[in-house]
Amino acid sequence: MSSIKEKFNQISPSEFFYSNRDLAGFSNPTRSLYTAVREFVENALDACDQKGILPDVHLSIKPVHPDKSDPQAYILTVKDNGPGVDAHHIPLAFGTVLYGSKFGLKQARGMFGLGATMAILYGQITTNKPVTVKSSSDGKIQNQFEILLDIQKNKPVILKHTTKEVSKKGLSVSICLEGDYSKAGAKIRDYVYETSLITPYASITFDDPKGEKFVHSRFVKDIPPPPTIIRPHPHGIDVERIRRMIVESQFDIPVIDDVMIEKVRKDLGLSKQNLAFTAIMSKAKKKWKTLSRQIRVVIALMSFLKMDFEKLSKIRIEDLDVPNKKLYYWDFGDSQSKSVDMDPESDYYKQLTNTVQGEPLTTFLTKRFQRIGPSTAVKFAEFAKFKPERRMGTLSNEELVHLSDSLQKFEDFMAPDSSCLAPLGESPLEKGIKKFFNPDFVAVIQRPASAYSGFPFIVEMGIAYGGDIKAGGPHVYRYANRIPLLYDEGSDVVVKVVKETDWGRYKVKGEPPFIIVSHICSTRIPYKTAGKENVADRQEIERELKLGLQYLSRKLAAFMSKKGQAEMAKKRANLYAKYIPLIAEFCTELAGKKSQPNFKKLLEEEFPADKNNSETDNNEAPLDDNEEQTEENEENE
Amino acid sequence: MSKVKSAKTKELSKKALEKQKNILESLKSHGAKIYDDLNSGQFPKFSIPSRSVSNIVYDKKLRQYILGTNAAIRSSRNSSQLRSFTQLMWLAFFANRLTQEKKSSTLRDVYYSSQAFAIDFEDQAESDNIIVDLEAVTSKPREDFHIFPEERSSIFGDLNIEYTIPGYEGKTMNLSNHPDGYSIGPSLTTAELVDTSAEIVIAIEKGGLFTRFVEEQVDKKFKSIIINTGGQAPRSTRTLLKRLHDEMKLPVIVLTDGDVYGEHIAMVIKSGSANAAHLRELTVPDAKWVGVWATDIEKYKLPTIPMTEADIKRCYDLQKDPRYEDGIWKKELDVFLRIKRKAELEAFSKYGLTNITDKYLPQKLELAKSL
């Protein structure tokens, strides 16, 4: 048994990804090139977003040997003006798998920064070339690394490290990888184009292998407010997550050596003073609020040991037996184990049990989750049949599972906090659509935040008609957390909702030139597959999409009927201009007259030049929307 | 004789001229009104008697369907009517030219002619419909505007006519000179009917029987003019039938297949169709349907075919028509519904090809006198 276990332990994360790279979107040269572009561009944008920097991102793809045919080796470089990465983090960040900075719970394009390392790994596998990272985090010195990844050991191998002076912050990552641009090109261009629509505050340029340059300049100067990192919502939790949170909340008893004693003395302001035990205690009480947890624990131990610093340096803590309220220690002087009783009423006792047994349930819940206050925590404890003061560290496995289940089931938690989301906003979205499609009509909406399974989300949508938009719509542009989704359109929830809409109801007929932009923001997008290309049809998300689309469709319908009226008026004028002269011609001969009647007066009176506009403005076509309105009402209740 | 004839011709020509003058006057007055409207900044309009079912009523005095008093306004102000208004305007203009120049044209001609004037008809059905509008506005059949239908029926028998159409004016013709018969077209419809030795007109539904009748010299044996209606009689044929009856004082009998459609062919000759309720010069109220009756089927033991569902439905429809409320029309319709079988004119051939002319026709002619 033990030998097998050992063997498993030896597989590094790098090796795991190496053998499962399909999962992360590196299945073939076409897809891999596209995925690599995505990962680096998204990392660059995320880095800038987090620091509130208007992103300038430069993407370039160049063949290593220009006259070879696809699939072939390409050099992929992505350069940004973001905060850069500290020099001492670079080897780990770019030379190991599972090293990332995005573990907090908030909306970001990538989850853990794994994708970029995967791309580096894929490049190394296919071309055996290192990754080149140039980074300046202070705007003065740029560190340049060439790194290979030791797959078996999951460790970086630094081939080269140089520094030079620069004038700007930023990061540039360059890898060499096997790709197929002739096949992936269209998707990559689409990706860059669509990304710039949903990231209107970014400038993105793309130098493609054929020497073409695609420039998407920023046209919005304001970055949408960055998301805040928040605590998890109880509905979005699982057993493993709780287990980790408990570990975070527990602390070991510090080792009391000379260094530690020196630290305690310093913090109490007693470095050069030898006070007796009681004097130390009263000093500590005064300074309690300024003391760190570690120091507090040491003081608490001293309170039961009743020792001064001199004595404390001659013992070692052995065990804290909470159930029996005994503190065991080894006395070096007497060379034997001793114990003292602890008074459970003492505040110091609480300090110690907190440290080893973790927090009480109610504290744990209120401190570590959003949407749980003290009274909710007590109500929940009652619901789950736990004692409110139950220490988290004492929960058994079964109890943990029960706690997790109960958190999911308890319905009195408020909906998740959406401050962790960063929707683009209606105005930038509208500007983006206007710039990209130059449409005759555009409408946008940001729905209020909602949640599925404890994960908050916001749906933003836009609709546009006419202008530069091609016929044959609706064309759907799908985004999730500001990432364009280009593959697997068929099974996506947005496409499903659009397809289920009866456009005839909204006066949209035939092969209309119109587009729909949908942006779902969430701390966790429910992707159907690991490839992150299509969103699953969660009921709550589908509902928000439907309501958003209905709102926009009604706006479109109003526009269409105005447009229809304007067209009708114009048609009508044309009709009269065509037929009245004919009538005049025929009746002249029929009546036996020599000259035609003066019909121009008639036409001018009926159709003055500016007639069309004034006539159509006042008329909003009545729409039969009873069904949708009831749905809206339900929502309000 | 010739003196009498010429006097009669002159009188008739005068009548024809009068008619032409009336038509032209009518068209001109419509044109003048529209001209004035346009000149005074008004949208011109036509008042068209409504031809919807609710406005078609049966006039017992006239013994035909006529239009009621409802009329629809077709205004050039209404953009959805503008096109058809212009079409109607154009047609009046075109009819005016045709009548003045004495040129004849067909329904299809009208459809194509429109294209020369940037008047676009979707299809011939649309232009045909506008022609009926003009008939309704002026209460004159289209033949008066020199617009004739495509379909041709034919006539045979001792009848002298004199043409009035340009290039043939004064030329005469006897309609028994050619054994295939003469097709009833614009020249014949507008010709003067000079004289005849015939004492009766036999209208027969089918071309095959028409040929048989000519072969068997029905015209001589029964002193008759034979007319092939070719199914439902075209309006030009009905006009001619009316003229033969009114001007030559000839009784008209109708011989059709023994089915509900045959019965109705006879009825239309007698009292018109709902489609032409806006016109009043197409009926021969004294015309008699002499067969083949439903009762004949049993009486003459004719081979029959079963009626289809459509045939039966047609019977029920006709039962609601006031003209079928009494007499022979009601009786025969009831019998058709009872036996649910029908027989064609050719069925008599079972008893020999000439059976119909030798036996059936004489009996029917005799019977007609008492109808």
Side-chain angles (χ1 to χ4, degrees), chain A residues 428-494:
Chain A
L429 183 61
E430 184 174 337
K431 276 187 192 157
I433 293 174
K434 276 184 179 159
K435 177 165 187 290
F436 272 71
F437 301 106
N438 186 30
D440 299 332
F441 163 79
V442 62
V444 295
I445 186 178
Q446 187 185 90
R447 294 285 309 162
S450 179
Y452 78 96
S453 312
F455 300 106
F457 69 90
I458 287 177
V459 166
E460 293 179 297
M461 290 185 113
I463 203 163
Y465 188 97
D468 300 343
I469 299 167
K470 281 191 213 127
H475 307 285
V476 182
Y477 292 83
R478 298 175 295 134
Y479 295 94
N481 287 354
R482 294 187 203 165
I483 300 176
L485 307 181
L486 300 178
Y487 282 98
D488 296 333
E489 190 176 81
S491 48
D492 188 272
V493 63
V494 181

Side-chain angles (χ1 to χ4, degrees), chain A residues 19-84:
Chain A
S19 42
N20 293 285
R21 56 188 183 275
D22 290 11
L23 287 179
F26 293 88
S27 47
N28 57 57
T30 308
R31 191 76 188 261
S32 300
L33 186 58
Y34 166 70
T35 309
V37 166
R38 265 186 65 162
E39 296 296 350
F40 287 123
V41 170
E42 280 156 23
N43 273 1
L45 291 172
D46 271 342
C48 291
D49 278 3
Q50 273 162 26
K51 297 290 174 198
I53 299 166
L54 288 170
D56 285 318
V57 178
H58 301 279
L59 162 67
S60 119
I61 303 175
K62 295 290 165 203
V64 177
H65 304 287
D67 23 297
K68 275 196 180 169
S69 61
D70 278 321
Q72 56 171 314
Y74 285 98
I75 295 168
L76 164 63
T77 307
V78 174
K79 192 178 150 206
D80 66 44
N81 61 338

